[in-house]
Amino acid sequence: MASSAATAPSTLYAQLQMAGGQHYARRGDTLERWLEAERDQLVLWMPVALGSGIASWFLLPDPRSWTIALLTFAGAGLLTIALGRAGRGLRVLGTGFLLAALGLGLIWARAESKAAPVLARPAIVMVEAKVEQIQPLPPRGLVRLRLAPIRTLPTDATARPMNPLVLPPHIRLNLAEHDVPTSVGTGAVIRVRARLLPPPPPALPGAYDYARVAWFDGIGATGRGFGPVEVIAAAPSGSGRLRDALSAHIRGRVPGAAGGIAMSLATGDQGGMELDDAEAMRRAGLAHLLSVSGLHITAVVGATMFLVLRLLALSPWLALRVRLPLVAAAAGAVAAVGYTVLTGAEVPTVRSCVAALLVVAALIIGREAMTLRLVATGAMIVLLAVPEALAGPSFQLSFVAVASIIALHDHPRVQAWFVRRDEAIWRRIVRGLSSLLLTGIVVEAALAPIAIYHFHKAGLYGSVANIVAIPLTTFVIMPSEALALLADVFGMGTPFWWLTRQSISALLWIAHRTAEAPGAVAALPSMPAMAFALIVIGGLWLGLWRTRWRMLGLVPIAIGSVWVTMVPPPDLLITGDGRHVAVRTADGTIAMLRDRSGDYTRAMLSEIAGIDDDPALLSDQQTARCNRDLCLAVLSRGGRDWRVLATRSPYPAPIADLVAACRAADIVVSDRRLPRTCKPRWLKLDRPMLRRTGGISIALSTGRLQTVNRPSDAHPWRRNMFNRNGEADQQAFPARAPGAGHNAADRRRDLPDQAAPLPLRDGNI
């Protein structure tokens, strides 16, 4: 009995251990069965894993974090592969970890390989440079040049010799159209006087980061040139001249607004578009028609294959002895490469060309052309060659659009709905239109998070507008323009140019009517990066898997969407130079500090604030008192009143009055250095502070504060944006507003009378 009692616990333990092993074995069998059912989809996750490593490099702040992440990815990959020899699950996971490590290493190496001198401070120089690229911008009256400096000269001929300024290897310069001689083209050497600046960081959190784009593009300075421009050596003939000549020819044949669209479709040059037309195309969800990408490459390849096949088929000898479809496919591939080179070989065009070549290769070997594997292969090629493209909206929009279309039409139920069948013509037309509408809705839904994250707005009627715009562009505008260019060789292109002009006018009419419709655009403030990541992960899970487990992707999509709607809009926006301040008014719009500001600044402030209207003027608001020197605005947020004082002129106020005004204000903003005795209740954002923090976005109701610059950010384009002492913006002011989120009982009792005078040089108001 004792022996039996002694062995009972061990026997029970063994039984429990066996039961647990069987349980885990059953779980492993379930995983293996699921992966077996999704075997064809596993390869689609390779670019996702590679892109995850690239994205982690952009999100993590410094080399220490990148090193830890790289070693973690590599170690986890090797460990899971070693442990998963008997099963597919761990091997798949390990491969994903290794691809993530590869992606992080690629983008890190790519960023370091692009290291080049960047202009340290603003400068006015006389420079001799070679023109690398020229882009006319007729609606703005400008010409944009990419230059390779050769040497700098004294700006004044009478000045004594001095050490010349060392310029970056590449600069970007805007010149007035009338200042650029006609002989300036790609390869020319010019001498020009220019005011240069370092590539600017985002003016506000969530705004366009040109400094990052310029780093990978090799541009170390940007600025404005002043005439006259002296041509030292004329431009040689070449592909750049061919493109410029073609653009000029199209502009001459199709004048007006339609000419800018025609230039964009043929050469990829969008500089000739009227600004209101470009904005209407964006608001209507038709901007993808203007960028030379998949639609244009597909049209060129398809037209070339059709013409070559029909022409060669006229010869019976060739038709009987040569596989004409293969010859036509090869001709289409050559046309795709030639068109890519002609249009400047921009990243979207190169990406579309790679996809077109893969489709042609699939046709040649007799495989199905349009599949998600094709999209995954194209994404892998682009990410391996240009890993920084992942952070740009162009890569995200194009691949997500194509992948969503293919994933939708690969679904068995959708295939059953829209499969070709023997039916009446009107039913066939209705079925085709329904397919286009469903495709447009799905694409708009897939692209909306990307558009909101990058542009802070998304079109709502794009799916309807594209039903007409895409067939009009593909089957009318582009063929008529191609025929017009071909007929111009024989002097017979006038009828085709008339058709091109009329069809483009119809496209612009659709864009303007759609853009002007009520609620055409949904505007939201800056989307948190983690909310965007959740939506992307959920979308990929939903679109790439095929079994019922893919529905789990709706969970992160829902969480990310709710997160976006719960983010409070900013109450106060301050650009990095301190010149432009915008406050949110009681009706939800924004009001700007300065009465005069550029269109770009106004549009940027509206986008970041999440509104679709033009900003109002702070001086017109009842809650603000302004004149040429200062503005004082009172904002009621979070159960209390906030007093915001901002300078709006370069003239100093009397020091005693300014100090008193600072003490009465919660936040003081200025584009110049304020005296140390200016001590507001919470924040003093003058030039030295804003130089460290960059642009600032503040939600007063919750105390949420965002800055462009972060002291821990060590990405190459951010390394020189902090002061030499390394002072951190978090150390400069508290991360949360005092009393934020409290009730009305927490109001400050010592606020001065709202009617108190302001220290203005021309008197009080």
Side-chain angles (χ1 to χ4, degrees), residues 410-708:
D410 276 351
H411 195 282
R413 185 171 298 177
V414 176
Q415 288 179 345
W417 287 346
F418 301 117
V419 67
R420 288 181 176 272
R421 62 193 71 183
D422 187 11
E423 59 185 352
I425 295 179
W426 69 270
R427 289 180 177 272
R428 191 177 306 166
I429 294 175
V430 171
R431 195 179 300 277
L433 292 177
S434 301
S435 175
L436 284 175
L437 179 60
L438 178 61
T439 301
I441 293 174
V442 170
V443 170
E444 288 293 331
L447 299 185
I450 302 174
I452 293 174
Y453 180 74
H454 290 284
F455 311 119
H456 313 289
K457 61 178 63 176
L460 300 181
Y461 305 145
S463 56
V464 179
N466 277 287
I467 291 179
V468 181
I470 291 178
L472 177 63
T473 304
T474 305
F475 301 114
V476 180
I477 297 177
M478 295 185 67
S480 61
E481 186 172 359
L483 290 174
L485 291 171
L486 183 62
D488 269 353
V489 178
F490 308 100
M492 302 169 60
T494 302
F496 299 106
W497 286 120
W498 179 87
L499 178 60
T500 301
R501 186 166 56 253
Q502 298 303 316
S503 54
I504 292 178
S505 298
L507 177 66
L508 289 175
W509 182 87
I510 294 171
H512 282 282
R513 297 292 81 77
T514 305
E516 294 168 1
V521 174
L524 289 173
S526 298
M527 179 187 294
M530 289 306 299
F532 179 63
L534 285 173
I535 295 174
V536 170
I537 292 171
L540 290 170
W541 190 275
L542 185 64
L544 297 186
W545 294 129
R546 281 294 172 264
T547 59
R548 57 194 174 96
W549 293 100
R550 76 177 193 276
M551 302 307 295
L552 292 175
L554 295 175
V555 176
I557 292 177
I559 296 174
S561 301
V562 172
W563 190 347
V564 170
T565 59
M566 293 179 63
V567 174
D571 296 306
L572 190 62
L573 296 172
I574 305 156
T575 58
D577 57 5
R579 286 183 50 81
H580 300 287
V581 179
V583 300
R584 186 171 296 275
T585 60
D587 59 358
T589 61
I590 61 171
M592 295 185 61
L593 171 69
R594 296 180 183 269
D595 298 343
R596 295 182 180 180
S597 58
D599 293 338
Y600 173 79
T601 300
R602 298 171 66 87
M604 176 196 63
L605 289 170
S606 297
E607 290 178 1
I608 300 300
I611 65 172
D612 192 38
D613 298 324
D614 288 334
L617 297 179
L618 188 59
S619 56
D620 294 338
Q621 305 302 308
Q622 295 182 353
T623 57
R625 295 182 295 132
C626 302
N627 98 356
R628 288 183 297 174
D629 292 321
L630 297 171
C631 264
L632 175 64
V634 180
L635 308 178
S636 297
R637 301 289 189 274
R640 54 163 297 179
D641 291 336
W642 297 84
R643 298 171 66 90
V644 180
L645 180 69
T647 63
R648 64 200 305 246
S649 79
Y651 300 100
I655 184 66
D657 295 337
L658 179 62
V659 169
C662 288
R663 291 175 180 173
D666 294 285
I667 302 172
V668 177
V669 182
S670 178
D671 60 344
R672 60 179 184 267
R673 180 186 293 273
L674 295 177
R676 293 184 178 180
T677 51
C678 175
K679 297 180 179 181
R681 299 172 184 269
W682 183 39
L683 283 178
K684 183 173 79 171
L685 302 174
D686 59 352
R687 180 185 295 176
M689 175 65 70
L690 291 172
R691 186 179 294 119
R692 297 198 296 269
T693 64
I696 295 180
S697 168
I698 304 175
L700 296 174
S701 58
T702 61
R704 183 172 182 262
L705 187 147
Q706 290 182 298
T707 62
V708 169

Side-chain angles (χ1 to χ4, degrees), residues 119 122-123 125 140 142-145 147 170-176 192-200 210 219-226:
L119 193 68
V125 298
R140 299 169 56 184
L142 297 175
V143 176
R144 178 169 294 163
L145 304 177
L147 304 175
H170 305 282
I171 63 176
R172 194 184 75 169
L173 208 62
N174 288 338
L175 284 160
V192 62
R193 184 169 176 263
R195 182 177 186 270
L196 299 179
L197 302 167
Y210 180 71
I219 295 177
T222 182
R224 178 84 183 228
F226 309 100

